[in-house]
Amino acid sequence: MDTLTDQNIAQIALLAAFLPLLTFFISLFVPVKPAGKGAAAIFNIGLSLILSGALFLKVWNQQSFHFRIEWVTIGDFTLYTGILLNNLSVLMMLLVSGIALLVHVYSTKYMQGDPYLHRYWAYLGLFCFAMLGLVIADNLLLMYMAWELVGFSSYLLIGFWFTRHTAVLANKKAFIVNRIGDLGFLIGIMITLTQFHTLDLTELFGSNGLVANAVVKGGMWQSQAGMMPAGWLTAAGIAFFLGAVAKSAQFPLHTWLPDAMEGPTSVSSLIHAATMVAAGVFLLARIYPLFGDDVLLIIAITGAFTAFMAATIALVQNDIKRILAFSTISQLGFMMLAMGTGAQAAGLFHLVTHAFFKCLLFLAAGAVIHEMAHVKDKQGIAFDPQDIRLMGGLRKRMPVTFATMVIASLALTGLPLMSGYLSKDSILINAFEWAEGHSGLAKLIPYSALLTSWLTAFYISRLIFKVFFGELRLEQELLVHVHIHEAPSAMKYVLVVLAVFCFFPAFSLNPFLFEDAWILKGFPVTDSMTRVNLFHTIIPLAVNLIAMLLIFIAWLWYGKQQRKPDFSASGLFRFAEGQWYIDQFYTNVLVSGFVSVSRLVYRFDRVVVDGLVNIFARAAKALSVMAAWTDRNIVDRIVNGAAYLTGQGGRFFGHFQTGRLQHYFVTMLLVVLAFFIYKYYSGTI
């Protein structure tokens, strides 16, 4: 690798990105058996992981690589396109390809026997290609193209089981909601191009870039590209953030993500762990110097509110995948909070740790759903295999799934010795230190995050105890014995591998000092992230003591089945169960409002516009009929009559043209006689 040129590095990066696209074409157009297509998909993404690992070793904390070629020239403007590899790029490449490989292996058993398996491998390949293309793109336009392809491929995957009406609604909802964010992304690109005359990420946001070295003076943004009103930079930051809000499912554009659970669970794990929803956080990190203090505060508030809101909803859900979906929204809120409080490195650190434990949670849940669905098929009984109220006692029947899901849950909770302890502590401690320099409502942000962390401990404990402890409630309701066994080997081994990355050694040799994490050393950190205050002691202590207390309460209520308070009749419970009625608001107010307006416009078009058009059309038709009758009966008759008289006159006078001289003399004589007779009788002679 030391002898490779920039062009060679770019070629390796392109190969790593395009290998999953090869899977897309093989799966759709090469006539081989589904097992062969699956093997090709695993081989391609595995090779992509190897290449990503090689690039990681070459680039991480060393020299960045930027290779570009001329793309489009319009007048004096030239747009270049190429590959940008830095710490952020290679970290995301390694993460995306690594998680994707595990999901591919898991899918060989989870999706076995599906009649549309070839489409599954194709869509998965297209999805991975889009995400890898996004992370290596060197300009905003190329990023936007990959961004759109990520949205399109996720649309295909969410609606994979297209025979289900709910899946069709879910993928349409995801596609439409993300279009709102994509519009923001596009507006941000247009503002950036207009003001800076380039879309190149290095030229804009590099250490010597236009944005990084610009200053604000007197309300004007001064850079090497010239001067512009500082408001344009704020507008661009908000526009780009809108794109991230939709893609990373932040309030108020988060409603598509829970419905996206209609896709296969393996797809859900990939979307939630390291690909689509991570794209929004990646975008913010890529263009981070663009954000001023006002936009960063908006990002922090949005992240904190989203994290708390989603955690409260997860508390009362009964669908195992929906609980994890709202958990993802909540954890993404933590990442956005970190970005908004200046802890870019902490946000990316949590993105990586979250990828492993959330992927594990989804795949373990998929193993449980897989077995429950088998029971449903074998028994011929109609029930929801994702309802945790029908589960219980599975720790004895699925011990590996139980152990790995508990490990992932501990990491999500952020207990000591787990990866989540390090990344979540880095976010919380930085948030409290950041709040010290702010006033007003901003000081509530870290406390909101602290409360959300405690809620996380409770809702994930509730899930674990209801699914794996007690007795299988499905048997108690059906009064029959059902056979549930451990997940197949391919699925089980993937769970074990993911569980390894939920422990601290994968990220730091010191289980209690997040500053020692190797990921944090690869990105800029704020000056406040040093152990000089009590926050580094009080916050972890408060988080873990209250979390363990809540886990114990959850064990009493859901593990030992002791009597617990009934909150179902309370207004707060119904409010959370109704998902804060945000979906209902969209449906009953926005969607219904747009539909009503559309119907009104349609009726106006039919009655007024079409009515006027039809009146004019009938009037024009009547005029044309009258004009045709006038033309036929008057104009044509006059013309034809004149022609007839002319013809008859011609024929009459033609009789006088005999060619004989005596006839002409006689004719002239008769004319002269007639003339004199006329004169005589008229009295003029």
Side-chain angles (χ1 to χ4, degrees), residues 5 73 75 111 186 301 321 333 394-395 445 499 529 555 590 644 682:
T5 64
T73 299
M111 297 297 293
L186 186 59
I301 292 172
K321 288 177 67 175
L394 296 184
R395 73 182 189 279
I445 289 178
M529 292 183 70
W555 177 69
L590 296 184
Y644 175 78
S682 63

Side-chain angles (χ1 to χ4, degrees), residues 176-222:
I176 292 171
V177 171
N178 274 277
R179 293 293 70 73
I180 300 173
D182 295 347
L183 179 60
F185 195 159
L186 186 59
I187 292 172
I189 290 175
M190 291 189 290
I191 295 175
T192 303
L193 180 60
T194 302
Q195 300 299 327
F196 294 103
H197 313 295
T198 182
L199 294 176
D200 189 279
L201 293 171
T202 301
E203 293 180 0
L204 287 168
F205 311 113
S207 56
N208 296 317
L210 298 174
V211 176
N213 293 315
V215 293
V216 178
K217 290 183 179 179
M220 298 297 292
W221 184 266
Q222 301 180 14

Side-chain angles (χ1 to χ4, degrees), residues 103-272:
V103 170
H104 276 66
V105 174
Y106 180 94
S107 299
T108 57
K109 284 298 181 182
Y110 187 80
M111 297 297 293
Q112 189 175 33
D114 193 285
Y116 300 106
L117 188 56
H118 65 287
R119 288 197 301 106
Y120 176 81
W121 294 122
Y123 296 166
L124 215 56
L126 183 65
F127 188 76
C128 293
F129 161 71
M131 191 64 199
L132 289 170
L134 174 67
V135 301
I136 65 175
D138 79 326
N139 69 78
L140 289 171
L141 183 58
L142 199 59
M143 280 187 67
Y144 182 74
M145 295 167 64
W147 180 277
E148 290 291 341
L149 189 56
V150 168
F152 173 68
S153 52
S154 66
Y155 165 84
L156 296 176
L157 286 168
I158 293 169
F160 177 75
W161 285 319
F162 58 90
T163 54
R164 300 178 183 176
H165 182 62
T166 52
V168 174
L169 294 177
N171 71 349
K172 287 195 295 184
K173 184 176 183 179
F175 195 79
I176 292 171
V177 171
N178 274 277
R179 293 293 70 73
I180 300 173
D182 295 347
L183 179 60
F185 195 159
L186 186 59
I187 292 172
I189 290 175
M190 291 189 290
I191 295 175
T192 303
L193 180 60
T194 302
Q195 300 299 327
F196 294 103
H197 313 295
T198 182
L199 294 176
D200 189 279
L201 293 171
T202 301
E203 293 180 0
L204 287 168
F205 311 113
S207 56
N208 296 317
L210 298 174
V211 176
N213 293 315
V215 293
V216 178
K217 290 183 179 179
M220 298 297 292
W221 184 266
Q222 301 180 14
S223 70
Q224 297 174 11
M227 299 180 62
M228 69 173 181
W232 278 117
L233 201 70
T234 301
I238 293 175
F240 281 119
F241 178 56
L242 179 61
V245 164
K247 197 69 79 179
S248 291
Q250 297 295 284
F251 174 85
L253 302 179
H254 65 281
T255 55
W256 67 270
L257 190 56
D259 291 352
M261 298 300 97
E262 292 296 333
T265 304
S266 50
V267 169
S268 302
S269 68
L270 188 59
I271 290 177
H272 285 247

Side-chain angles (χ1 to χ4, degrees), residues 413-415 453-458 461 541-553:
T413 303
L415 293 183
S453 181
W454 293 331
L455 295 178
T456 302
F458 187 82
S461 300
L541 190 63
V543 168
N544 290 286
L545 287 178
I546 302 299
M548 287 187 285
L549 175 61
L550 291 171
I551 292 172
F552 177 72
I553 294 174

Side-chain angles (χ1 to χ4, degrees), residues 372-383 478:
M372 296 292 286
H374 278 181
V375 171
K376 179 180 178 180
D377 294 338
K378 290 178 181 179
Q379 299 290 337
I381 306 168
F383 68 92
L478 301 179

Side-chain angles (χ1 to χ4, degrees), residues 67-87:
F67 178 81
R68 66 178 188 172
I69 58 174
E70 187 175 315
W71 189 9
V72 178
T73 299
I74 304 174
D76 297 332
F77 174 73
T78 299
L79 178 64
Y80 294 88
T81 184
I83 304 299
L84 174 61
L85 298 178
N86 53 17
N87 281 1

